[in-house]
Amino acid sequence: MSELVRLTKQDDVAIITIDNPPVNALSPGVPEGIAEAIELVEKDNGVVAVVMIGAGRTFVAGADIKEFGKMTSGQSARVDGFKPILLRIEDCRKPVVMAIHGTAFGGGLELAMAGHYRVAVPGAQVGQPEVKLGIIPGAAGTQRLPRLVGVAQAIAMCAEGSPIKAEEAAATGIVDRIVQGDLLAGAIVFAKEVASNPVRKTRERTDRLGTPEENESIFAAARENARKRQRGLLAPLAAIDAVEVATKLPFEEGCLAENDLFTRCLFSDQSKALIHVFFGEREVSKIPDVPKETPVIPVNGAAVVGAGTMGGGIAMVFANAGIPVLLKDTDQAALNRGFASIQKNYANSVKRGRFTQQFVDERLKLIQPTLSYEDFTDTDIVIEAVFESMTLKKEVFAELDRVCKPSAILASNTSTLNIDEIAASTSRPQFVIGTHFFSPANVMRLLELVRGESTGKEVIATCMQLSRRIGKIGVLVGNCFGFAGNRMFQPYRREAQFLVEEGASVETVDRALYDFGMAMGPLATADLAGLDVGWRIRKEHPDLYKPGVRRPIVEDRLCELGRFGQKTGAGWYKYDENRRATPDPEVAELVRKWTAEAGITQRQLAPEEIVERCIYALVNEGARILEEGYALRAVDIDIIYLNGYGFPAYRGGPMWYADTVGLKKVYERVCELRQQHGVLWEPAPLLKRLSEEGKSFADFHRQQDASSA
Ligand code: 3H9
């Protein structure tokens, strides 16, 4: 028998244990081992029932996702081998009880549904998360699940991909019993109870499949919902189609239809991109010179300096993770305003059903407002979130250095400023790091961790671990102006403005990028963030612009007119009291006037050119960041853009997208743009080199350790 599957016996119950750490994925050897074990128990007259269970921390977390890459590159043809094994389990004449702890996801739930009964420990989770990988369940999940839980619930699980807890699974019909205490012992007791029952096969059930009349409106609503909430994604619609087939065709034909849809999704660019994202999200936590064993500093209490929007959001992040947090500002009025805004935020979450009142009350108790640094003496980590001014930040850090215990991590939430210069105002630069949260901090998942030249490895390891604990995805970047995310965003935004100055309307530019899949267009995003932020930075850093090189003219002038974006009711758009945007003819008029004065020729711009100019500007700068070592890998940049800048996950991130287009094509277009628009489009050397070598960004691995990032 395969080493990955064990067969043992307790009394007259056979126990099949799947043991493929870390998550018991259905890698080659596992399905075969299960099949072999079923044959053996079928033949063993001393066995009256079977329990199937996962070793270690979980039941089966699904197919081995690494295998999908091999399939789509033609290295393996195993797509459909698992389904006959599931039929074999279902046809076993002895009841098979699936014992679930941890997660039964994807192929894991499909395996569980082929059993005759399912028991689970409280808190275990079951789900069909395949859509998050751009595919649909491929081993009859879309056919068995509606037979167990009904059409509406099956659609919700297959098309949205969100798991449900064992308790809910018991209420909906997936789980037959919740086992308190030891799972294996409970499953064996259950197996003995049902040993003499006739086996019931999920695939033969039709009682929950509904009628065509009932189902019609359910499917219509699901499709509308998927188009709206999972914009641009193909898999959710395919999953709905597959569940619909289950209501119309016999099981075997339904499986064939599911297979067609599954294969089409698996071979799509979207699936490849989303699988890249799955592994990328895990890869970013791996820092070559900060090994897993690096000791971490215990974090039991935090403090935030600055009770503005950002500081308040960060305090909520800590409180939500159950970490007590001090929130400091310089005067009582500012502190009151900050705290009131936190309360309002939480109240909205309760209204929307995200949190219960009790949860919120407990979190609020964890946030302790203060006016004094003297309360910081025992704090493990301080996040400075004051106004973006180097002078002010240095003052704050000097003060923190004075009051905080020697092992405290001193972090700055700066989005652009030099971490080394900030660190130099303390006596402990090895404890200083950048923690760049994204607005709104309590919502956005990205946390850029900025490594200064002295930042200690323990500090990095601690912040990486802390990111996960506070529900963020931490990505380590180097200390350059704007770090990785904002440094790339600058040319992206620059091109968006140039396009408006060359004749595209504000709405046309935003629409083109929205249709590409961005969460918002670049100009609407600028209005949301506040145009004055960049304006202030440009005034503070006139050196960012080279004499004789074109620079955008409109945004600074909008700022001079007091149009700072949403917060002032006007920016690129105008806004009503609910911050709903409408195009502003006044802006169009002003742009015409200012560009005529500047002698900029107006022309028609197609959406393709708009997308290329904005996205290739991102890619070209990303290539520089990568080559200069300010990002560890191309995938780190992708994860930053997906989680902090609304880049569509189904395109994999800007660097993956460029790889998909082909670097040769991207490079040639950048060269054309260089000819048309000048030095701002100088191709990044890495883009040129990889394109000439026929390689991709994914192929780029830095030789030395990435100590600069
Ligand atoms: C599917 O089943 C299709 C079917 O319909 C069948 C068709 C025939 N495969 O996340 P973690 C690795 S599609 C390969 O850090 P956690 C992961 O990369 C699949 N590897 O742990 C990581 O490796 P490393 C449907 C996998 O405790 C390590 O395991 N299933 C897989 O935070 C630990 O993972 C899913 O989509 C896998 N399936 O979370 C479930 N899963 O240490 C995907 C994990 O080298 N998995 N790895 O970086 C998850 O959601 C989470 O991993 C899970 C554990 C919740 C299970």
Side-chain angles (χ1 to χ4, degrees), residues 610-625:
I610 294 171
V611 168
E612 275 183 355
R613 285 204 21 207
C614 292
I615 301 295
Y616 290 179
L618 270 185
V619 171
N620 201 36
E621 195 63 31
R624 289 184 204 285
I625 289 172

Side-chain angles (χ1 to χ4, degrees), residues 163-211:
I164 58 172
K165 290 254 168 72
E167 294 76 358
E168 194 183 342
T172 55
I174 299 176
V175 165
D176 298 286
R177 179 179 293 171
I178 300 286
V179 171
Q180 307 289 344
D182 184 68
L183 175 62
L184 179 61
I188 291 173
V189 169
F190 185 89
K192 287 181 176 172
E193 282 170 28
V194 297
S196 53
N197 293 359
V199 293
R200 40 172 221 181
K201 301 181 187 179
T202 309
R203 71 176 192 268
E204 288 176 356
R205 287 182 56 179
T206 53
D207 54 301
R208 301 207 63 181
L209 288 178
T211 64

